Structure formats: C-alpha cells, structure tokens
Amino acid sequence: MKKIIIADDSSLARMFTSRCLSAGGFRNYEVTEAKDGQEVFALLMETTYDLVISDLNMPEMDGVELMTRISQTPQLQSVPVIIITSAGNEDQRKALVTMGAKAILSKPITPSDIAKAVGDLLDAEENGYA
Amino acid sequence: MRDWNLDKEKLRLAVESTLENIAFCIVNEVEHATATPASEMVSSFISCTIGKSYKVAIALSIHEAYLDKIVSDLYPDAESIGEYLQDTLDEFINTVAGIFFRSIEYEIGAFQLSIPYHEHSAISESAVKYYFLLDDTHPLTITIS
C-alpha cells in the first residue's frame, strides 16, 4: 500500500485533500497527516513515504523550506512532492518547480485536480520518467 | 492605492467558489448588511503584501450559528466541533484571498499572503465591504482595507 503524507496547518485543508484523493480514485493509500514542514521532515526521516502533498504557507517550517530540506537530504531526494497553495504567484511557482515540486495545485482543489497530478506522477514513476 | 470597489465581481466569484467547493454552501450577494449584532459574527483576517510594502487586510465574518452548521456538516463524526470552528474560517479566508489575488495578479504583480490571524484593530470606516447571505438569513461579510 502506498504511503502519503498530507501536510497543512489547517485541519479542514488536510481533511479536504484526503477526501479529494479518495474521490479521485486513490483509495488504497495510507494517509498520514502533518501540521507543518517540521512534522513532515521528521516523518520522512523515520519511514519511507511514496508521496508528500504539502501546503505552502505553514508555520514552523513552510513548504519552501521543506522542499529545501528534502532536496538537501540524499535519502529523501527521490520523494515526490506536490504543493497545494492558496496563492503562490508566478515567480514562486517557478521557484518551486526548480526546487523539485512535481506539481503545484491551487486551492480549492478538486478530485480531478488531485487525480491528474497524482496519476501523472504515478504513470511517470511506473514508466521510468518521474 | 487600488480602488477595491472595482473588484466586486472577482471577490464574489472567490467567495462563491470557496464556499461551494469546500462546504457545499450557496452564497448570494446582497446590497446591504443585515441587522446582525457584531457579537453573533465570528471573523478571521488575512493580510496580503503587494510588491514589497503595500499591505491589504481582508476580513471574513460569518454568523456563528451558520459556521456551527457548516462545521457540523464537514465533521459529522466529531464529538465536539469547537476545535474546528476557527480553523474552518481560517481556511475559508485563506482560499478566498488566494483565488481573489490570483485573479488580479496580472494587475497588482507579485503578492504574499499571511497566515490567517484573529486579532485585529477595528475595521476602518473607509474599508470596502461586501455582503452575502448564506441561506435566507445568515450573513457573510468580506471587508478589504
């Protein structure tokens, strides 16, 4: 079973993203929730995860810092990260992609948004071009 | 300084999109505020920094009874919804602000949203206010200043 981290300081956002994942057809996943980037990083250092879906604007450690930490940690560099953000202007989005974000989705997301982003990622992984 | 009265339609779309997609609530814009005591409204605030220094504050206020209803519907299995009330309102304003400022990004340029907060000085008289109704009686207000 694939393991996914959903990170957002908002309980509603975490629940909503999880619900969209399920409605988007991704039901055989074990979802772990995290409130900020620090929690995500700690989880990643303990256990192997297949995907991180993270908000950008979080207290303690935001999405940018999380991506920086992941990219600087050799054993985590292959973990794909999808960013979900309420804002994220164009420059920020480009910076996130440069840092390695696989997709950037705008809130409010829909099941089809998440299905496409996660589906594209899984297809790429399975076919060797992630 | 931007005339926020010109952005009424875009803000309305942001509010509608957020409430409908996340909470399955239909909102209707109305011309005037309802006669609802301020004590019955709960609020969340977010600020947006445009460019390097120009700051705008948006406040989202909802009738507390309707927020209770929204949150009860979102968390049907929760024994107590108290911990989810402010969080839900915070996520609403976060999403509304994101949709709204993204829709005018081509005019205002780069922007940065704060994390939602709850303490704010009194809304100035010059603030632009928009009024909505959730069902026939419960108000929702957006203020930009």
Side-chain angles (χ1 to χ4, degrees):
Chain A
M1 182 180 282
K2 299 274 189 191
K3 294 164 74 77
I4 298 178
I5 298 174
I6 294 177
D8 199 302
D9 55 317
S10 163
S11 167
L12 173 60
R14 296 194 301 271
M15 183 265 283
F16 189 70
T17 300
S18 185
R19 189 182 289 177
C20 282
L21 258 178
S22 183
F26 300 94
R27 296 191 187 90
N28 292 327
Y29 285 78
E30 180 183 316
V31 172
T32 302
E33 294 187 9
K35 291 196 297 297
D36 56 51
Q38 264 184 6
E39 283 191 19
V40 174
F41 193 75
L43 287 166
L44 289 172
M45 293 302 284
E46 280 177 10
T47 310
T48 302
Y49 284 89
D50 300 286
L51 175 64
V52 173
I53 302 174
S54 176
D55 186 25
L56 193 58
N57 224 9
M58 297 180 287
E60 302 301 329
M61 185 192 292
D62 66 13
V64 172
E65 191 181 343
L66 171 63
M67 292 221 49
T68 304
R69 295 285 297 271
I70 287 174
S71 68
Q72 291 173 346
T73 309
Q75 66 264 41
L76 301 182
Q77 285 167 357
S78 62
V79 178
V81 179
I82 292 174
I83 296 288
I84 297 180
T85 177
S86 60
N89 57 59
E90 201 50 46
D91 287 343
Q92 244 181 349
R93 286 165 185 263
K94 286 179 186 167
L96 287 166
V97 169
T98 303
M99 290 170 70
K102 298 300 183 185
I104 300 161
L105 305 179
S106 297
K107 289 183 178 180
I109 60 168
T110 64
S112 62
D113 290 337
I114 203 83
K116 183 170 184 346
V118 177
D120 284 351
L121 207 52
L122 293 178
D123 282 347
E125 279 187 0
E126 282 170 8
N127 292 292
Y129 57 89
Chain B
M1 191 182 301
R2 187 179 180 86
D3 180 359
W4 299 108
N5 282 298
L6 300 176
D7 295 308
K8 198 169 187 179
E9 178 66 10
K10 291 189 169 80
L11 190 61
R12 180 184 65 77
L13 288 171
V15 171
E16 282 183 359
S17 176
T18 298
L19 272 291
E20 287 175 23
N21 277 293
I22 299 180
F24 308 112
C25 290
I26 304 295
V27 293
N28 294 300
E29 189 185 2
V30 293
E31 283 296 316
H32 304 289
T34 60
T36 303
S39 59
E40 292 180 17
M41 303 288 283
V42 288
S43 302
S44 187
F45 304 87
I46 201 166
S47 64
C48 178
T49 304
I50 298 172
K52 289 194 171 21
S53 57
Y54 178 39
K55 264 199 177 167
V56 178
I58 291 189
L60 171 63
S61 303
I62 260 184
H63 193 280
E64 62 180 342
Y66 206 87
L67 181 61
D68 278 6
K69 177 187 178 315
I70 289 174
V71 175
S72 295
D73 290 344
L74 286 169
Y75 296 93
D77 298 328
E79 287 182 10
S80 163
I81 61 167
E83 66 185 275
Y84 300 116
L85 293 171
Q86 191 66 63
D87 172 83
T88 297
L89 197 56
D90 289 351
E91 187 60 12
F92 284 169
I93 193 172
N94 187 36
T95 305
V96 168
I99 296 171
F100 175 63
F101 285 106
R102 283 202 311 273
S103 73
I104 59 172
E105 187 179 358
Y106 66 99
E107 292 178 48
I108 63 173
F111 65 93
Q112 179 71 45
L113 295 180
S114 73
I115 288 172
Y117 56 96
H118 314 128
E119 298 294 326
H120 194 74
S121 55
I123 307 259
S124 72
E125 286 298 317
S126 61
V128 177
K129 300 182 181 66
Y130 300 109
Y131 306 105
F132 300 85
L133 281 181
L134 301 150
D135 66 33
D136 291 331
T137 55
H138 293 100
L140 180 155
T141 307
I142 290 270
T143 306
I144 298 182
S145 60

